[in-house]
Amino acid sequence: MNIRSIPRLAALAVAAALTTTGIGSVRAGGEVNIYSFREPDLIEPLLAAFTKKTGIEVNLIFAKDGLVERIVAEGQNSPADVLLTNEFGLLTLARDAGVTAPISSPVLEASIPAVYRDPAGHWFGLTRRARVLFASKARVPETAISYEDLADPKWKGRICSRSGQHTYNIALIASMIAHHGRDEAKVWLNAVKANLARKPAGSDRDQVKGVFAGECDLAIGNTYYMGLMQTNNEQPEQKEWAASVRLVFPNAGDRGTHVNISGAALLEHAPHADNGRQLIEYLASAEAQTIYATVNNEYPVRAGVAPSATVAAWGELKADAIDLEVVAKLRKQASELVDEVGYDEGPGS
């Protein structure tokens, strides 16, 4: 697999960037070109298995942001066949930008539940992850905590969070707007800000580290980070962080926990469209879904594929049944609320 890591590119630099990456010359044959928001290390086992099974070589460009804008700027000259995303909002962003192509596939329709795929075939969910709470085993006896509870003054100075503008938190805040309306969600977010232990910074894993270090008692994060920490043999200190917390599924007793998805879309000007379709169908297969579950500790979308033993040990996930499209449409409002309450300025600001 050919992996290239790139920074965010301005639209006017796209032509030059294609020349320097070399991917622009890959236009035919047994290969597929991927633009990916997903970290290469997380998907390399899947792509290697796909190549072994099909003989189709994979060329991968990874970037943390800017890929949809890049595809728009490239237009019909884009070399990309498939977009892989780490978050649902990016799938709808690509679709609404007009850069995706519909796939009519009985394989995908049979593999992926309707709630996790676009009715017109423009995007397909591949894995699920829940936005949960990591609670200190030593300092938090509560086992049932809702998102709404995070606004309770009893948590003042006890919550760690990454930036409110991070895509995972934007989706969670958008879901709160969907359930409670903008005004009530703003009151809630302002109260959560007041309960923060420190200015938001770092990754989800850094928030768990904060609980381990005694800087806070609750951390907001995605489930699969717990799995990554629990199985991290290269950085064993992360196993200690994970061992210091208990995973709590918010709202498990009522509407369910906020769930987001990673996913894939075939691109409008894909030079290897058939290979792109084959890749997406493979990623929805039982084999690939099992790899997702065991290697990344993500929840499969395909029925009949069990979560890993690590994930199963956390307890049952009851997912919020709200339409993900509804949440995606509220992302802009969520981002505006983060700025309005000054969430990223931290408590006391």
Side-chain angles (χ1 to χ4, degrees), residues 27 76 78-82 99 101 266-274 276:
R27 302 297 296 188
Q76 64 182 2
S78 179
D81 299 303
V82 172
V99 298
L266 184 69
L267 295 169
E268 182 181 21
H269 299 295
H272 314 105
D274 186 62

Side-chain angles (χ1 to χ4, degrees), residues 48-56 282 285 287:
F50 170 72
T51 296
K52 182 177 180 180
K53 188 177 186 70
T54 65
I56 298 172
Y282 173 74
S285 70
E287 176 182 308

Side-chain angles (χ1 to χ4, degrees), residues 47-253:
L47 302 183
F50 170 72
T51 296
K52 182 177 180 180
K53 188 177 186 70
T54 65
I56 298 172
E57 294 294 329
V58 174
N59 301 303
L60 175 69
I61 282 183
F62 161 72
K64 291 184 177 181
D65 55 22
L67 289 176
V68 174
E69 294 87 343
R70 175 174 179 166
I71 296 166
V72 170
E74 290 169 345
Q76 64 182 2
N77 294 316
S78 179
D81 299 303
V82 172
L83 178 69
L84 295 182
T85 76
N86 60 345
E87 200 269 326
F88 175 70
L90 294 168
L91 291 172
T92 57
L93 178 67
R95 181 200 60 195
D96 295 345
V99 298
T100 60
I103 299 177
S104 178
S105 168
V107 171
L108 290 172
E109 291 172 6
S111 302
I112 301 175
V115 68
Y116 296 127
R117 53 183 165 83
D118 179 51
H122 281 270
W123 57 261
F124 298 88
L126 297 173
T127 65
R128 300 180 299 156
R129 68 284 300 272
R131 198 80 179 140
V132 297
L133 302 177
F134 299 107
S136 169
K137 290 179 179 178
R139 301 182 299 277
V140 179
E142 292 90 344
T143 58
I145 306 172
S146 69
Y147 297 116
E148 290 79 2
D149 289 338
L150 297 179
D152 191 316
K154 78 175 184 179
W155 298 112
K156 187 172 180 62
R158 301 177 67 188
I159 299 174
C160 279
S161 166
R162 75 192 303 165
S163 169
Q165 290 292 1
H166 189 277
T167 185
Y168 299 152
N169 280 338
I170 289 297
L172 172 59
I173 296 165
S175 77
M176 293 296 287
I177 297 173
H179 285 295
H180 298 290
R182 190 183 192 280
D183 291 344
E184 190 172 334
K186 182 176 180 179
V187 172
W188 169 81
L189 188 61
N190 204 37
V192 175
K193 172 197 168 185
N195 287 342
L196 293 176
R198 62 189 186 192
K199 186 175 180 178
S203 67
D204 281 2
R205 278 186 268 198
D206 289 324
Q207 313 317 312
V208 179
K209 181 182 179 181
V211 175
F212 170 77
E215 297 173 0
C216 49
D217 295 336
L218 287 179
I220 303 170
N222 278 354
T223 44
Y224 72 95
Y225 285 109
M226 185 67 157
L228 291 173
M229 290 184 291
Q230 288 178 327
T231 58
N232 194 334
N233 293 320
E234 295 182 2
Q235 297 175 292
E237 68 274 11
Q238 293 193 9
K239 292 185 177 182
E240 293 186 71
W241 305 348
S244 73
V245 300
R246 179 180 62 256
L247 193 151
V248 176
F249 292 98
N251 300 84

Side-chain angles (χ1 to χ4, degrees), residues 9-31:
L9 296 174
L12 294 178
V14 167
L18 288 176
T19 301
T20 58
T21 61
I23 196 170
S25 62
V26 181
R27 302 297 296 188
E31 52 206 349

